Amino acid sequence: INDEGVMDRGDVAVVFYGENLRVKTTFALGWEPSGIEHTITKMTDDNVIKEIDGRPAAELYQKYLGVDVDENFLFEIMEFPLVTESKGILVARSVINMDEDRGLKVSPGLSKGDRIKLSLAIISDMLKQTRENANVLARFQPQGVILTVCISRYIYLSDDQQQEINFYRAIVPEIAGCSCGGELVSIGNKIYWFNCVLTAMAIREGEIDKAKVCPILPDIKSLADSQNRIPLSDKIARFTRESTAEFVEMLLKNEIDAERAANEAKSAFLSNMSHEIRTPINSFLGMDEMILRETKEDSTREYANHIKNAGQTLLYLVNDILDFSKIEAGKRSE
């Protein structure tokens, strides 16, 4: 806590207790993965990413954003946090510092070997997500709401951050909250360390009044300018998101087509080879049958029976391969 009595570093824990206390929590991220996956290949115990894909971590942002690693670096990359999946939920990690070796300091939750992507956000979509969360909490009929806003989100949204807060003010006029660098949040029976999000914890005592009408939330104010033009940043972000999704879908389709073609080629090869192998097997089995019919010598008949048993076993194996190749090719086994 500094001289003004404001806490600028540390952890805060608040305990609420009630005889019939009910709690409901929501969170809004808004950042979505974009581009290809990358791997954290070197990381320290104090959450500093040293290498990504075997290269110095800062080079990832240099490559994709064209930014210089200088005194403005952290501000330049703030809009593009790293995202990964944790316990089935997408989580983000913004870079909060850089060490002397250009390692990227992030909030806890990432480790060596994690697959990450750069992300982007569309402000209008972020506000819509927050409004939907506020609607969920409105039906919970909270008696109090506590908001926690990540600093990186607050900076990114700038003046639009007030719109997010106003959604919750429409539910409960008196709200409390703070800004921070990360939040521990319980969702269901799992605990998450969040970053870049707005979390809202609604609390109430007693049962919900089913006859009570939920408040009407304010509309999202248009982000368009005086000439009704959508901000350039939102248009670029939306274009990048949609084109990336189309590109990934195209790559996936090409992979599926290539795998299907390889399977068909393998099936055709197995089918042809099965026929080629079965023909000579049938020939020597036919000759062996003639030997069994005509010979009177016991030793010769013993040898011929060994040939017959081995040939039939080999023929069964070839037939199984032929049937398997038909199944793979999508044909009905004959």
Side-chain angles (χ1 to χ4, degrees), residues 116-165:
I116 57 175
K117 286 186 177 184
L118 287 174
S119 66
L120 52 82
I122 300 172
I123 292 178
S124 57
D125 288 352
M126 295 174 77
L127 296 177
K128 289 175 183 177
Q129 183 181 9
T130 300
R131 191 175 190 273
E132 290 174 3
N133 286 349
N135 266 321
V136 171
L137 294 189
R139 293 190 289 272
F140 180 71
Q141 297 177 11
Q143 296 167 330
V145 173
I146 300 174
L147 302 180
T148 306
V149 184
C150 188
I151 294 173
S152 59
R153 183 185 187 90
Y154 175 80
I155 295 173
Y156 182 69
L157 285 174
S158 187
D159 294 340
D160 294 308
Q161 177 68 64
Q162 191 60 46
Q163 288 202 58
E164 288 200 301
I165 297 174

mmCIF file of all heavy atoms in Angstrom, residues 116-165:
data_model
loop_
_atom_site.group_PDB
_atom_site.id
_atom_site.type_symbol
_atom_site.label_atom_id
_atom_site.label_comp_id
_atom_site.label_asym_id
_atom_site.label_seq_id
_atom_site.Cartn_x
_atom_site.Cartn_y
_atom_site.Cartn_z
ATOM 1 N N ILE A 116 0.127 -21.994 -27.527
ATOM 2 C CA ILE A 116 -0.459 -20.665 -27.396
ATOM 3 C C ILE A 116 -0.689 -20.068 -28.784
ATOM 4 O O ILE A 116 -0.137 -20.522 -29.786
ATOM 5 C CB ILE A 116 0.453 -19.717 -26.586
ATOM 6 C CG1 ILE A 116 1.838 -19.632 -27.243
ATOM 7 C CG2 ILE A 116 0.555 -20.183 -25.138
ATOM 8 C CD1 ILE A 116 2.763 -18.629 -26.601
ATOM 9 N N LYS A 117 -1.540 -19.036 -28.804
ATOM 10 C CA LYS A 117 -1.760 -18.250 -30.013
ATOM 11 C C LYS A 117 -1.808 -16.777 -29.638
ATOM 12 O O LYS A 117 -2.134 -16.426 -28.497
ATOM 13 C CB LYS A 117 -3.093 -18.632 -30.693
ATOM 14 C CG LYS A 117 -3.087 -19.961 -31.414
ATOM 15 C CD LYS A 117 -4.417 -20.156 -32.163
ATOM 16 C CE LYS A 117 -4.434 -21.446 -32.952
ATOM 17 N NZ LYS A 117 -5.689 -21.585 -33.755
ATOM 18 N N LEU A 118 -1.486 -15.925 -30.598
ATOM 19 C CA LEU A 118 -1.786 -14.516 -30.425
ATOM 20 C C LEU A 118 -3.298 -14.340 -30.546
ATOM 21 O O LEU A 118 -3.985 -15.190 -31.123
ATOM 22 C CB LEU A 118 -1.070 -13.675 -31.480
ATOM 23 C CG LEU A 118 0.450 -13.516 -31.309
ATOM 24 C CD1 LEU A 118 1.033 -12.776 -32.506
ATOM 25 C CD2 LEU A 118 0.784 -12.794 -30.030
ATOM 26 N N SER A 119 -3.817 -13.256 -30.021
ATOM 27 C CA SER A 119 -5.262 -13.056 -30.055
ATOM 28 C C SER A 119 -5.598 -11.639 -30.483
ATOM 29 O O SER A 119 -4.735 -10.751 -30.498
ATOM 30 C CB SER A 119 -5.871 -13.332 -28.672
ATOM 31 O OG SER A 119 -5.414 -12.370 -27.736
ATOM 32 N N LEU A 120 -6.857 -11.449 -30.831
ATOM 33 C CA LEU A 120 -7.364 -10.119 -31.159
ATOM 34 C C LEU A 120 -8.755 -9.976 -30.579
ATOM 35 O O LEU A 120 -9.407 -10.956 -30.226
ATOM 36 C CB LEU A 120 -7.370 -9.892 -32.682
ATOM 37 C CG LEU A 120 -8.054 -10.939 -33.576
ATOM 38 C CD1 LEU A 120 -9.551 -10.716 -33.633
ATOM 39 C CD2 LEU A 120 -7.473 -10.875 -34.979
ATOM 40 N N ALA A 121 -9.211 -8.744 -30.464
ATOM 41 C CA ALA A 121 -10.528 -8.496 -29.863
ATOM 42 C C ALA A 121 -11.279 -7.453 -30.665
ATOM 43 O O ALA A 121 -10.685 -6.511 -31.197
ATOM 44 C CB ALA A 121 -10.371 -8.038 -28.413
ATOM 45 N N ILE A 122 -12.594 -7.640 -30.755
ATOM 46 C CA ILE A 122 -13.491 -6.675 -31.384
ATOM 47 C C ILE A 122 -14.310 -6.046 -30.262
ATOM 48 O O ILE A 122 -15.042 -6.737 -29.546
ATOM 49 C CB ILE A 122 -14.407 -7.370 -32.402
ATOM 50 C CG1 ILE A 122 -13.555 -8.050 -33.491
ATOM 51 C CG2 ILE A 122 -15.372 -6.367 -33.025
ATOM 52 C CD1 ILE A 122 -14.353 -8.927 -34.429
ATOM 53 N N ILE A 123 -14.165 -4.740 -30.086
ATOM 54 C CA ILE A 123 -14.756 -4.067 -28.937
ATOM 55 C C ILE A 123 -16.265 -4.270 -28.867
ATOM 56 O O ILE A 123 -16.824 -4.543 -27.796
ATOM 57 C CB ILE A 123 -14.402 -2.568 -28.952
ATOM 58 C CG1 ILE A 123 -12.902 -2.391 -28.708
ATOM 59 C CG2 ILE A 123 -15.203 -1.813 -27.897
ATOM 60 C CD1 ILE A 123 -12.427 -0.951 -28.741
ATOM 61 N N SER A 124 -16.945 -4.149 -29.996
ATOM 62 C CA SER A 124 -18.402 -4.320 -29.978
ATOM 63 C C SER A 124 -18.791 -5.718 -29.520
ATOM 64 O O SER A 124 -19.769 -5.904 -28.790
ATOM 65 C CB SER A 124 -18.980 -4.033 -31.368
ATOM 66 O OG SER A 124 -18.391 -4.874 -32.343
ATOM 67 N N ASP A 125 -18.009 -6.734 -29.914
ATOM 68 C CA ASP A 125 -18.295 -8.103 -29.472
ATOM 69 C C ASP A 125 -18.022 -8.267 -27.981
ATOM 70 O O ASP A 125 -18.737 -9.003 -27.284
ATOM 71 C CB ASP A 125 -17.445 -9.101 -30.271
ATOM 72 C CG ASP A 125 -17.922 -9.248 -31.705
ATOM 73 O OD1 ASP A 125 -18.989 -8.697 -32.035
ATOM 74 O OD2 ASP A 125 -17.226 -9.906 -32.499
ATOM 75 N N MET A 126 -16.995 -7.603 -27.486
ATOM 76 C CA MET A 126 -16.696 -7.654 -26.059
ATOM 77 C C MET A 126 -17.853 -7.091 -25.243
ATOM 78 O O MET A 126 -18.269 -7.658 -24.222
ATOM 79 C CB MET A 126 -15.406 -6.882 -25.764
ATOM 80 C CG MET A 126 -14.165 -7.481 -26.392
ATOM 81 S SD MET A 126 -12.698 -6.445 -26.153
ATOM 82 C CE MET A 126 -12.292 -6.821 -24.452
ATOM 83 N N LEU A 127 -18.411 -5.961 -25.708
ATOM 84 C CA LEU A 127 -19.520 -5.345 -24.990
ATOM 85 C C LEU A 127 -20.766 -6.219 -25.042
ATOM 86 O O LEU A 127 -21.512 -6.314 -24.058
ATOM 87 C CB LEU A 127 -19.813 -3.966 -25.578
ATOM 88 C CG LEU A 127 -18.686 -2.922 -25.443
ATOM 89 C CD1 LEU A 127 -19.086 -1.626 -26.127
ATOM 90 C CD2 LEU A 127 -18.342 -2.681 -23.981
ATOM 91 N N LYS A 128 -21.011 -6.863 -26.177
ATOM 92 C CA LYS A 128 -22.167 -7.759 -26.287
ATOM 93 C C LYS A 128 -22.040 -8.929 -25.309
ATOM 94 O O LYS A 128 -23.022 -9.343 -24.683
ATOM 95 C CB LYS A 128 -22.296 -8.276 -27.716
ATOM 96 C CG LYS A 128 -22.746 -7.214 -28.713
ATOM 97 C CD LYS A 128 -22.743 -7.775 -30.131
ATOM 98 C CE LYS A 128 -23.117 -6.692 -31.141
ATOM 99 N NZ LYS A 128 -23.056 -7.199 -32.539
ATOM 100 N N GLN A 129 -20.830 -9.466 -25.188
ATOM 101 C CA GLN A 129 -20.624 -10.577 -24.269
ATOM 102 C C GLN A 129 -20.879 -10.148 -22.827
ATOM 103 O O GLN A 129 -21.516 -10.867 -22.050
ATOM 104 C CB GLN A 129 -19.196 -11.112 -24.410
ATOM 105 C CG GLN A 129 -18.915 -12.324 -23.551
ATOM 106 C CD GLN A 129 -17.493 -12.825 -23.697
ATOM 107 O OE1 GLN A 129 -16.651 -12.193 -24.313
ATOM 108 N NE2 GLN A 129 -17.206 -13.974 -23.099
ATOM 109 N N THR A 130 -20.411 -8.942 -22.478
ATOM 110 C CA THR A 130 -20.636 -8.436 -21.124
ATOM 111 C C THR A 130 -22.128 -8.225 -20.869
ATOM 112 O O THR A 130 -22.645 -8.523 -19.788
ATOM 113 C CB THR A 130 -19.876 -7.120 -20.912
ATOM 114 O OG1 THR A 130 -18.480 -7.354 -21.100
ATOM 115 C CG2 THR A 130 -20.104 -6.573 -19.512
ATOM 116 N N ARG A 131 -22.842 -7.711 -21.856
ATOM 117 C CA ARG A 131 -24.281 -7.488 -21.700
ATOM 118 C C ARG A 131 -25.009 -8.813 -21.489
ATOM 119 O O ARG A 131 -25.932 -8.902 -20.676
ATOM 120 C CB ARG A 131 -24.836 -6.759 -22.926
ATOM 121 C CG ARG A 131 -26.260 -6.234 -22.749
ATOM 122 C CD ARG A 131 -26.675 -5.420 -23.973
ATOM 123 N NE ARG A 131 -27.919 -4.711 -23.734
ATOM 124 C CZ ARG A 131 -29.119 -5.226 -23.934
ATOM 125 N NH1 ARG A 131 -29.249 -6.481 -24.369
ATOM 126 N NH2 ARG A 131 -30.210 -4.500 -23.703
ATOM 127 N N GLU A 132 -24.606 -9.849 -22.214
ATOM 128 C CA GLU A 132 -25.221 -11.165 -22.032
ATOM 129 C C GLU A 132 -24.964 -11.689 -20.615
ATOM 130 O O GLU A 132 -25.862 -12.256 -19.980
ATOM 131 C CB GLU A 132 -24.657 -12.146 -23.063
ATOM 132 C CG GLU A 132 -25.114 -11.864 -24.493
ATOM 133 C CD GLU A 132 -24.417 -12.753 -25.502
ATOM 134 O OE1 GLU A 132 -23.625 -13.625 -25.066
ATOM 135 O OE2 GLU A 132 -24.644 -12.580 -26.714
ATOM 136 N N ASN A 133 -23.736 -11.493 -20.120
ATOM 137 C CA ASN A 133 -23.419 -11.925 -18.754
ATOM 138 C C ASN A 133 -24.258 -11.166 -17.731
ATOM 139 O O ASN A 133 -24.726 -11.738 -16.740
ATOM 140 C CB ASN A 133 -21.935 -11.712 -18.465
ATOM 141 C CG ASN A 133 -21.050 -12.728 -19.168
ATOM 142 O OD1 ASN A 133 -21.535 -13.718 -19.706
ATOM 143 N ND2 ASN A 133 -19.763 -12.493 -19.170
ATOM 144 N N ALA A 134 -24.442 -9.862 -17.971
ATOM 145 C CA ALA A 134 -25.249 -9.062 -17.056
ATOM 146 C C ALA A 134 -26.696 -9.541 -17.052
ATOM 147 O O ALA A 134 -27.363 -9.556 -16.005
ATOM 148 C CB ALA A 134 -25.177 -7.583 -17.451
ATOM 149 N N ASN A 135 -27.199 -9.949 -18.199
ATOM 150 C CA ASN A 135 -28.558 -10.503 -18.274
ATOM 151 C C ASN A 135 -28.676 -11.781 -17.450
ATOM 152 O O ASN A 135 -29.693 -12.031 -16.797
ATOM 153 C CB ASN A 135 -28.931 -10.794 -19.728
ATOM 154 C CG ASN A 135 -29.689 -9.647 -20.374
ATOM 155 O OD1 ASN A 135 -30.528 -9.019 -19.729
ATOM 156 N ND2 ASN A 135 -29.391 -9.365 -21.624
ATOM 157 N N VAL A 136 -27.636 -12.605 -17.495
ATOM 158 C CA VAL A 136 -27.626 -13.839 -16.703
ATOM 159 C C VAL A 136 -27.708 -13.509 -15.215
ATOM 160 O O VAL A 136 -28.490 -14.105 -14.463
ATOM 161 C CB VAL A 136 -26.356 -14.664 -17.004
ATOM 162 C CG1 VAL A 136 -26.228 -15.821 -16.020
ATOM 163 C CG2 VAL A 136 -26.396 -15.197 -18.432
ATOM 164 N N LEU A 137 -26.914 -12.543 -14.791
ATOM 165 C CA LEU A 137 -26.922 -12.171 -13.374
ATOM 166 C C LEU A 137 -28.203 -11.453 -12.981
ATOM 167 O O LEU A 137 -28.621 -11.519 -11.818
ATOM 168 C CB LEU A 137 -25.707 -11.293 -13.058
ATOM 169 C CG LEU A 137 -24.341 -11.970 -13.183
ATOM 170 C CD1 LEU A 137 -23.251 -11.073 -12.627
ATOM 171 C CD2 LEU A 137 -24.319 -13.326 -12.485
ATOM 172 N N ALA A 138 -28.834 -10.751 -13.918
ATOM 173 C CA ALA A 138 -30.100 -10.080 -13.609
ATOM 174 C C ALA A 138 -31.152 -11.094 -13.189
ATOM 175 O O ALA A 138 -31.947 -10.844 -12.268
ATOM 176 C CB ALA A 138 -30.573 -9.275 -14.818
ATOM 177 N N ARG A 139 -31.181 -12.241 -13.832
ATOM 178 C CA ARG A 139 -32.157 -13.289 -13.484
ATOM 179 C C ARG A 139 -31.834 -13.913 -12.120
ATOM 180 O O ARG A 139 -32.697 -14.524 -11.502
ATOM 181 C CB ARG A 139 -32.174 -14.358 -14.583
ATOM 182 C CG ARG A 139 -32.722 -13.855 -15.910
ATOM 183 C CD ARG A 139 -32.955 -14.986 -16.885
ATOM 184 N NE ARG A 139 -31.716 -15.546 -17.381
ATOM 185 C CZ ARG A 139 -31.054 -15.096 -18.452
ATOM 186 N NH1 ARG A 139 -31.522 -14.056 -19.138
ATOM 187 N NH2 ARG A 139 -29.945 -15.667 -18.852
ATOM 188 N N PHE A 140 -30.608 -13.739 -11.670
ATOM 189 C CA PHE A 140 -30.191 -14.228 -10.355
ATOM 190 C C PHE A 140 -30.681 -13.294 -9.247
ATOM 191 O O PHE A 140 -30.687 -13.662 -8.075
ATOM 192 C CB PHE A 140 -28.660 -14.334 -10.329
ATOM 193 C CG PHE A 140 -28.079 -14.812 -9.044
ATOM 194 C CD1 PHE A 140 -28.217 -16.131 -8.642
ATOM 195 C CD2 PHE A 140 -27.384 -13.943 -8.214
ATOM 196 C CE1 PHE A 140 -27.668 -16.577 -7.443
ATOM 197 C CE2 PHE A 140 -26.833 -14.370 -7.020
ATOM 198 C CZ PHE A 140 -26.974 -15.693 -6.639
ATOM 199 N N GLN A 141 -31.109 -12.083 -9.630
ATOM 200 C CA GLN A 141 -31.607 -11.062 -8.695
ATOM 201 C C GLN A 141 -30.603 -10.765 -7.577
ATOM 202 O O GLN A 141 -30.880 -10.955 -6.394
ATOM 203 C CB GLN A 141 -32.951 -11.492 -8.105
ATOM 204 C CG GLN A 141 -34.058 -11.643 -9.128
ATOM 205 C CD GLN A 141 -35.359 -12.149 -8.512
ATOM 206 O OE1 GLN A 141 -35.503 -12.201 -7.293
ATOM 207 N NE2 GLN A 141 -36.306 -12.512 -9.369
ATOM 208 N N PRO A 142 -29.415 -10.298 -7.947
ATOM 209 C CA PRO A 142 -28.391 -10.062 -6.936
ATOM 210 C C PRO A 142 -28.732 -8.873 -6.045
ATOM 211 O O PRO A 142 -29.407 -7.932 -6.445
ATOM 212 C CB PRO A 142 -27.143 -9.773 -7.783
ATOM 213 C CG PRO A 142 -27.686 -9.206 -9.053
ATOM 214 C CD PRO A 142 -28.962 -9.935 -9.305
ATOM 215 N N GLN A 143 -28.242 -8.932 -4.829
ATOM 216 C CA GLN A 143 -28.347 -7.807 -3.909
ATOM 217 C C GLN A 143 -27.046 -7.001 -3.877
ATOM 218 O O GLN A 143 -27.000 -5.928 -3.290
ATOM 219 C CB GLN A 143 -28.699 -8.327 -2.511
ATOM 220 C CG GLN A 143 -30.067 -8.984 -2.468
ATOM 221 C CD GLN A 143 -30.296 -9.767 -1.189
ATOM 222 O OE1 GLN A 143 -29.368 -10.285 -0.600
ATOM 223 N NE2 GLN A 143 -31.551 -9.833 -0.757
ATOM 224 N N GLY A 144 -26.039 -7.552 -4.511
ATOM 225 C CA GLY A 144 -24.759 -6.864 -4.621
ATOM 226 C C GLY A 144 -23.940 -7.483 -5.736
ATOM 227 O O GLY A 144 -24.067 -8.687 -6.010
ATOM 228 N N VAL A 145 -23.138 -6.678 -6.425
ATOM 229 C CA VAL A 145 -22.265 -7.160 -7.496
ATOM 230 C C VAL A 145 -20.871 -6.598 -7.280
ATOM 231 O O VAL A 145 -20.711 -5.393 -7.034
ATOM 232 C CB VAL A 145 -22.782 -6.759 -8.892
ATOM 233 C CG1 VAL A 145 -21.757 -7.120 -9.968
ATOM 234 C CG2 VAL A 145 -24.107 -7.435 -9.192
ATOM 235 N N ILE A 146 -19.876 -7.471 -7.367
ATOM 236 C CA ILE A 146 -18.479 -7.058 -7.235
ATOM 237 C C ILE A 146 -17.782 -7.328 -8.563
ATOM 238 O O ILE A 146 -17.749 -8.466 -9.047
ATOM 239 C CB ILE A 146 -17.779 -7.812 -6.101
ATOM 240 C CG1 ILE A 146 -18.487 -7.520 -4.778
ATOM 241 C CG2 ILE A 146 -16.315 -7.427 -6.019
ATOM 242 C CD1 ILE A 146 -17.971 -8.319 -3.626
ATOM 243 N N LEU A 147 -17.243 -6.292 -9.166
ATOM 244 C CA LEU A 147 -16.561 -6.389 -10.452
ATOM 245 C C LEU A 147 -15.050 -6.359 -10.254
ATOM 246 O O LEU A 147 -14.538 -5.625 -9.411
ATOM 247 C CB LEU A 147 -16.964 -5.236 -11.371
ATOM 248 C CG LEU A 147 -18.455 -5.075 -11.685
ATOM 249 C CD1 LEU A 147 -18.646 -3.869 -12.609
ATOM 250 C CD2 LEU A 147 -19.013 -6.328 -12.320
ATOM 251 N N THR A 148 -14.362 -7.155 -11.044
ATOM 252 C CA THR A 148 -12.901 -7.108 -11.082
ATOM 253 C C THR A 148 -12.496 -6.943 -12.541
ATOM 254 O O THR A 148 -12.793 -7.808 -13.371
ATOM 255 C CB THR A 148 -12.281 -8.391 -10.513
ATOM 256 O OG1 THR A 148 -12.804 -8.623 -9.208
ATOM 257 C CG2 THR A 148 -10.772 -8.249 -10.426
ATOM 258 N N VAL A 149 -11.854 -5.833 -12.850
ATOM 259 C CA VAL A 149 -11.486 -5.506 -14.227
ATOM 260 C C VAL A 149 -9.976 -5.587 -14.368
ATOM 261 O O VAL A 149 -9.241 -4.906 -13.638
ATOM 262 C CB VAL A 149 -11.960 -4.090 -14.623
ATOM 263 C CG1 VAL A 149 -11.641 -3.826 -16.086
ATOM 264 C CG2 VAL A 149 -13.451 -3.936 -14.363
ATOM 265 N N CYS A 150 -9.517 -6.430 -15.286
ATOM 266 C CA CYS A 150 -8.079 -6.527 -15.533
ATOM 267 C C CYS A 150 -7.587 -5.203 -16.122
ATOM 268 O O CYS A 150 -8.253 -4.584 -16.963
ATOM 269 C CB CYS A 150 -7.783 -7.680 -16.481
ATOM 270 S SG CYS A 150 -6.024 -8.008 -16.670
ATOM 271 N N ILE A 151 -6.411 -4.790 -15.690
ATOM 272 C CA ILE A 151 -5.874 -3.503 -16.125
ATOM 273 C C ILE A 151 -5.705 -3.449 -17.644
ATOM 274 O O ILE A 151 -6.007 -2.437 -18.281
ATOM 275 C CB ILE A 151 -4.532 -3.231 -15.418
ATOM 276 C CG1 ILE A 151 -4.754 -3.057 -13.921
ATOM 277 C CG2 ILE A 151 -3.850 -1.996 -15.999
ATOM 278 C CD1 ILE A 151 -3.483 -2.944 -13.112
ATOM 279 N N SER A 152 -5.238 -4.556 -18.242
ATOM 280 C CA SER A 152 -5.034 -4.573 -19.692
ATOM 281 C C SER A 152 -6.358 -4.387 -20.427
ATOM 282 O O SER A 152 -6.413 -3.722 -21.474
ATOM 283 C CB SER A 152 -4.367 -5.880 -20.130
ATOM 284 O OG SER A 152 -5.166 -6.989 -19.760
ATOM 285 N N ARG A 153 -7.435 -4.939 -19.894
ATOM 286 C CA ARG A 153 -8.755 -4.775 -20.500
ATOM 287 C C ARG A 153 -9.227 -3.332 -20.351
ATOM 288 O O ARG A 153 -9.788 -2.744 -21.283
ATOM 289 C CB ARG A 153 -9.752 -5.723 -19.838
ATOM 290 C CG ARG A 153 -11.153 -5.695 -20.438
ATOM 291 C CD ARG A 153 -12.091 -6.569 -19.628
ATOM 292 N NE ARG A 153 -13.382 -6.705 -20.260
ATOM 293 C CZ ARG A 153 -13.716 -7.650 -21.131
ATOM 294 N NH1 ARG A 153 -12.816 -8.539 -21.493
ATOM 295 N NH2 ARG A 153 -14.920 -7.715 -21.669
ATOM 296 N N TYR A 154 -8.984 -2.763 -19.170
ATOM 297 C CA TYR A 154 -9.375 -1.380 -18.906
ATOM 298 C C TYR A 154 -8.684 -0.426 -19.879
ATOM 299 O O TYR A 154 -9.310 0.481 -20.440
ATOM 300 C CB TYR A 154 -9.013 -1.031 -17.459
ATOM 301 C CG TYR A 154 -9.263 0.401 -17.089
ATOM 302 C CD1 TYR A 154 -10.540 0.847 -16.770
ATOM 303 C CD2 TYR A 154 -8.215 1.324 -17.062
ATOM 304 C CE1 TYR A 154 -10.774 2.168 -16.432
ATOM 305 C CE2 TYR A 154 -8.442 2.645 -16.724
ATOM 306 C CZ TYR A 154 -9.719 3.070 -16.408
ATOM 307 O OH TYR A 154 -9.948 4.371 -16.080
ATOM 308 N N ILE A 155 -7.395 -0.660 -20.120
ATOM 309 C CA ILE A 155 -6.647 0.201 -21.041
ATOM 310 C C ILE A 155 -7.142 0.013 -22.469
ATOM 311 O O ILE A 155 -7.304 0.968 -23.226
ATOM 312 C CB ILE A 155 -5.138 -0.085 -20.937
ATOM 313 C CG1 ILE A 155 -4.624 0.292 -19.542
ATOM 314 C CG2 ILE A 155 -4.360 0.681 -22.009
ATOM 315 C CD1 ILE A 155 -3.184 -0.100 -19.298
ATOM 316 N N TYR A 156 -7.400 -1.249 -22.841
ATOM 317 C CA TYR A 156 -7.804 -1.541 -24.214
ATOM 318 C C TYR A 156 -9.163 -0.921 -24.538
ATOM 319 O O TYR A 156 -9.352 -0.308 -25.594
ATOM 320 C CB TYR A 156 -7.852 -3.052 -24.433
ATOM 321 C CG TYR A 156 -8.228 -3.445 -25.846
ATOM 322 C CD1 TYR A 156 -7.362 -3.216 -26.902
ATOM 323 C CD2 TYR A 156 -9.455 -4.044 -26.126
ATOM 324 C CE1 TYR A 156 -7.701 -3.566 -28.195
ATOM 325 C CE2 TYR A 156 -9.807 -4.401 -27.408
ATOM 326 C CZ TYR A 156 -8.920 -4.160 -28.443
ATOM 327 O OH TYR A 156 -9.265 -4.497 -29.717
ATOM 328 N N LEU A 157 -10.120 -1.065 -23.627
ATOM 329 C CA LEU A 157 -11.464 -0.541 -23.885
ATOM 330 C C LEU A 157 -11.548 0.972 -23.720
ATOM 331 O O LEU A 157 -12.420 1.617 -24.308
ATOM 332 C CB LEU A 157 -12.477 -1.215 -22.954
ATOM 333 C CG LEU A 157 -12.847 -2.655 -23.305
ATOM 334 C CD1 LEU A 157 -13.726 -3.253 -22.229
ATOM 335 C CD2 LEU A 157 -13.538 -2.731 -24.651
ATOM 336 N N SER A 158 -10.685 1.525 -22.893
ATOM 337 C CA SER A 158 -10.642 2.982 -22.692
ATOM 338 C C SER A 158 -12.037 3.495 -22.285
ATOM 339 O O SER A 158 -12.626 3.016 -21.329
ATOM 340 C CB SER A 158 -10.143 3.663 -23.971
ATOM 341 O OG SER A 158 -9.943 5.035 -23.774
ATOM 342 N N ASP A 159 -12.585 4.440 -23.025
ATOM 343 C CA ASP A 159 -13.879 5.037 -22.666
ATOM 344 C C ASP A 159 -15.023 4.023 -22.714
ATOM 345 O O ASP A 159 -16.041 4.195 -22.019
ATOM 346 C CB ASP A 159 -14.200 6.204 -23.599
ATOM 347 C CG ASP A 159 -13.235 7.365 -23.421
ATOM 348 O OD1 ASP A 159 -12.593 7.435 -22.356
ATOM 349 O OD2 ASP A 159 -13.107 8.184 -24.352
ATOM 350 N N ASP A 160 -14.881 2.994 -23.529
ATOM 351 C CA ASP A 160 -15.948 1.995 -23.638
ATOM 352 C C ASP A 160 -16.037 1.110 -22.404
ATOM 353 O O ASP A 160 -17.014 0.370 -22.245
ATOM 354 C CB ASP A 160 -15.727 1.128 -24.878
ATOM 355 C CG ASP A 160 -15.862 1.931 -26.171
ATOM 356 O OD1 ASP A 160 -16.887 2.607 -26.319
ATOM 357 O OD2 ASP A 160 -14.931 1.896 -26.987
ATOM 358 N N GLN A 161 -15.022 1.163 -21.522
ATOM 359 C CA GLN A 161 -15.083 0.386 -20.295
ATOM 360 C C GLN A 161 -16.293 0.779 -19.448
ATOM 361 O O GLN A 161 -16.908 -0.051 -18.776
ATOM 362 C CB GLN A 161 -13.798 0.597 -19.487
ATOM 363 C CG GLN A 161 -13.767 -0.112 -18.154
ATOM 364 C CD GLN A 161 -13.714 -1.619 -18.315
ATOM 365 O OE1 GLN A 161 -12.754 -2.165 -18.833
ATOM 366 N NE2 GLN A 161 -14.750 -2.320 -17.872
ATOM 367 N N GLN A 162 -16.674 2.052 -19.514
ATOM 368 C CA GLN A 162 -17.808 2.513 -18.723
ATOM 369 C C GLN A 162 -19.102 1.835 -19.156
ATOM 370 O O GLN A 162 -19.998 1.614 -18.336
ATOM 371 C CB GLN A 162 -17.949 4.039 -18.838
ATOM 372 C CG GLN A 162 -18.930 4.654 -17.863
ATOM 373 C CD GLN A 162 -18.540 4.390 -16.412
ATOM 374 O OE1 GLN A 162 -17.391 4.553 -16.031
ATOM 375 N NE2 GLN A 162 -19.521 3.977 -15.610
ATOM 376 N N GLN A 163 -19.200 1.493 -20.462
ATOM 377 C CA GLN A 163 -20.396 0.795 -20.917
ATOM 378 C C GLN A 163 -20.533 -0.553 -20.218
ATOM 379 O O GLN A 163 -21.637 -0.949 -19.819
ATOM 380 C CB GLN A 163 -20.339 0.577 -22.430
ATOM 381 C CG GLN A 163 -20.549 1.837 -23.266
ATOM 382 C CD GLN A 163 -21.010 1.476 -24.667
ATOM 383 O OE1 GLN A 163 -22.029 0.814 -24.856
ATOM 384 N NE2 GLN A 163 -20.264 1.924 -25.659
ATOM 385 N N GLU A 164 -19.417 -1.275 -20.064
ATOM 386 C CA GLU A 164 -19.466 -2.562 -19.372
ATOM 387 C C GLU A 164 -19.985 -2.393 -17.946
ATOM 388 O O GLU A 164 -20.835 -3.149 -17.481
ATOM 389 C CB GLU A 164 -18.067 -3.181 -19.338
ATOM 390 C CG GLU A 164 -17.574 -3.702 -20.666
ATOM 391 C CD GLU A 164 -16.445 -4.698 -20.501
ATOM 392 O OE1 GLU A 164 -15.411 -4.333 -19.931
ATOM 393 O OE2 GLU A 164 -16.609 -5.849 -20.952
ATOM 394 N N ILE A 165 -19.467 -1.401 -17.263
ATOM 395 C CA ILE A 165 -19.875 -1.174 -15.878
ATOM 396 C C ILE A 165 -21.352 -0.790 -15.794
ATOM 397 O O ILE A 165 -22.076 -1.211 -14.885
ATOM 398 C CB ILE A 165 -18.985 -0.095 -15.246
ATOM 399 C CG1 ILE A 165 -17.532 -0.588 -15.201
ATOM 400 C CG2 ILE A 165 -19.471 0.274 -13.854
ATOM 401 C CD1 ILE A 165 -16.540 0.441 -14.732
#
